[in-house]
Amino acid sequence: QPNFGTSTQYSCYIEPASGEEVVRLSSGEERKASYTIYVNSTSALNPEGRLTLPSGYDPQQPPILAQKLVSDEYGAHHVELKV
């Protein structure tokens, strides 16, 4: 049973993944993303951490398949997750 630390809440925008959005994991495995989440943070999230979405989303605790830091002309802006 994994041991998770203290929870942290982030404001974010969640949208369903568009079409057949496939993510290639570092292992080479391909997985279909269910959602793209735009997180109001410029710090990387722990990819092994537990992500809990609000009620009504299925799955409510999806694995983080990929993440990237998105920048604009002023620098780091937000983190984009594929789950």
Side-chain angles (χ1 to χ4, degrees):
Q1 194 63 275
N3 184 15
F4 297 102
T6 307
S7 66
T8 305
Q9 293 185 5
Y10 295 96
S11 60
C12 64
Y13 176 75
I14 305 169
E15 68 179 22
S18 56
E20 289 291 318
E21 194 160 348
V22 177
V23 177
R24 184 182 304 274
L25 306 179
S26 59
S27 65
E29 177 185 3
E30 292 183 346
R31 302 271 305 270
K32 184 181 179 306
S34 299
Y35 301 101
T36 300
I37 303 174
Y38 304 94
V39 183
N40 186 19
S41 175
T42 55
S43 299
L45 295 132
N46 179 354
E48 302 299 319
R50 180 168 53 191
L51 175 68
T52 303
L53 301 178
S55 61
Y57 287 92
D58 185 35
Q60 195 170 10
Q61 291 185 326
I64 298 172
L65 303 176
Q67 71 173 303
K68 70 177 178 179
L69 179 61
V70 180
S71 299
D72 62 14
E73 63 273 13
Y74 302 108
H77 188 267
H78 66 275
V79 174
E80 181 180 304
L81 301 177
K82 298 291 183 182
V83 301

